[in-house]
Amino acid sequence: MHIMWFSELDGISRGERIDLLKLAAKQGLKVPEGFVVPDESFRAFIHESRLHEHLPFLFSSAESPAFKARSMQGYVMQESLPKVFIEELQDAFGVVGVAEALLIRRA
């Protein structure tokens, strides 16, 4: 599985924002269903798209950390999402095109 729904994360920490959403839901607040991309899936995407090849240049340059982060974000945003990602989201939402719209801020 390339995505994990919030409802599948019981007992699994996936970062502060997700943990806060889970806590809010447990406290009775309405939290819309959402998903996270597990680290393993993101690493596979970076490897399959060969984005890891940019890392030595970014880490060896004298540019600021902010510049390096924006550069890497630019590389990520130029890549197409893996087909399996898009298919999982389309299956989940039942609409063609929704996956692409939802993942505009994927970086």
Side-chain angles (χ1 to χ4, degrees):
M1 175 157 287
H2 294 85
I3 61 173
M4 293 181 71
W5 295 99
F6 292 164
S7 58
E8 299 172 333
L9 295 175
D10 285 339
I12 303 172
S13 179
R14 290 291 176 178
E16 186 176 337
R17 286 187 230 170
I18 300 303
D19 291 344
L20 288 173
L21 286 172
K22 290 187 326 188
L23 179 62
K26 284 183 181 180
Q27 298 294 323
L29 296 173
K30 288 189 175 187
V31 176
E33 183 63 74
F35 63 91
V36 296
V37 176
D39 295 342
E40 306 80 35
S41 296
F42 184 71
R43 281 190 207 100
F45 164 70
I46 294 295
H47 183 74
E48 290 168 13
S49 61
R50 301 174 66 133
L51 287 170
H52 64 285
E53 294 174 0
H54 296 285
L55 295 177
F57 163 74
L58 289 174
F59 286 118
S60 67
S61 80
E63 300 292 343
S64 71
F67 175 84
K68 293 174 185 182
R70 282 191 308 274
S71 296
M72 192 62 191
Q73 183 180 30
Y75 294 133
V76 170
M77 295 298 288
Q78 290 175 1
E79 289 298 319
S80 297
L81 290 174
K83 187 177 179 181
V84 293
F85 253 11
I86 293 171
E87 289 170 350
E88 278 187 43
L89 290 170
Q90 287 172 339
D91 287 346
F93 289 98
V95 179
V96 174
V98 169
E100 294 88 341
L102 287 172
L103 291 171
I104 289 173
R105 284 200 53 192
R106 67 182 182 269

